[in-house]
Amino acid sequence: MRILFVEDERKIADFIKRGLKEEGYAVDIAGDGEEGYFLGSSNEYDAIILDLMLPKLDGVSLCKKLRADKITTPIIILTAKDSLKDKVIGLDAGADDYLTKPFAFEELLARLRAGLRKASAHLSHELTVADLRMDLLSHKVTRAGKEIVLTSKEFALMEYFIRNAGRIVTRTMISEHVWDINFDTDTNVIDVYVNYLRRKIDAGHKTKLIHTVRGCGYTLKK
Ligand code: CA
């Protein structure tokens, strides 16, 4: 578990980092909002703890920027501000939780665990690429917010694509993982299904997600 802690007060930063390390977390510290944005947008963290009053870029703006970049990592705001208004602004900016200074370290740990739990529950049943979302529990698929109805085979194919987004998937890989059998090499079942899927998810959208890789297979990317 890797945590990003954005805090300009060195003493607090070191104290929290030491405590989190003892609990088995790996911790990166960013001393200002800009560094926080740089680290938060270029590394994969399991959670981000964010002070509000920061040099260069304040915590609320940083939170908004990360969310605008589609970074869904749980964010806990740590603030000396305890007015209701500040809490509401923080949550509206995309934070998942907040903690008012001074706080008990135990409470920070508990909130961190809760945030991580929620994130993993969320991750396990929702997959997204660009503006396409698929919910593995309800089997609801949407693109740009509009629902797309897929057959169960199309859904399985889409799930396989999205789990391998950015990679080339060959027809052999698809037949093994989606159909669980190897087709004869002269059959075009996979291409037929990929075309069904394309018509449903890409037709009418400027950005195509499914791309043919000549001589290899397909790739799903923005
Ligand atoms: Ca501060």
Side-chain angles (χ1 to χ4, degrees), residues 85-100:
K85 196 172 149 231
D86 288 317
K87 289 171 184 171
V88 171
I89 289 171
L91 294 173
D92 282 347
D96 300 276
D97 204 353
Y98 62 84
L99 204 52
T100 310

Side-chain angles (χ1 to χ4, degrees), residues 7-9 51 53-54 101:
E7 168 66 82
D8 58 319
E9 284 168 64
D51 182 33
M53 284 182 282
L54 292 163
K101 291 176 185 172

Side-chain angles (χ1 to χ4, degrees), residues 30-89:
D32 62 61
E34 278 179 7
E35 193 188 358
Y37 176 67
F38 174 74
L39 290 176
S41 57
S42 53
N43 298 300
E44 282 211 8
Y45 291 102
D46 297 293
I48 298 172
I49 305 169
L50 198 57
D51 182 33
L52 277 192
M53 284 182 282
L54 292 163
K56 294 185 184 173
L57 183 69
D58 68 89
V60 168
S61 306
L62 170 54
C63 192
K64 282 183 184 163
K65 272 183 82 146
L66 291 171
R67 293 306 189 224
D69 287 355
K70 303 272 182 274
I71 290 165
T72 57
T73 310
I75 295 177
I76 301 173
I77 280 182
L78 217 55
T79 174
K81 298 177 170 182
D82 60 355
S83 79
L84 181 63
K85 196 172 149 231
D86 288 317
K87 289 171 184 171
V88 171
I89 289 171

Side-chain angles (χ1 to χ4, degrees), residues 145-191:
K146 276 174 87 177
E147 190 165 356
I148 298 165
V149 180
L150 298 182
T151 65
S152 59
K153 200 45 101 185
E154 290 163 351
F155 189 91
L157 183 58
M158 189 63 225
E159 182 181 345
Y160 186 65
F161 272 137
I162 210 165
R163 286 193 189 277
N164 290 283
R167 303 217 298 249
I168 294 171
V169 294
T170 63
R171 289 175 182 81
T172 309
M173 286 161 75
I174 294 172
S175 67
E176 283 175 1
H177 290 94
V178 180
W179 272 267
D180 206 20
I181 45 166
N182 273 309
F183 293 115
D184 293 336
T185 43
D186 58 349
T187 171
N188 66 344
V189 170
I190 289 167
D191 303 277

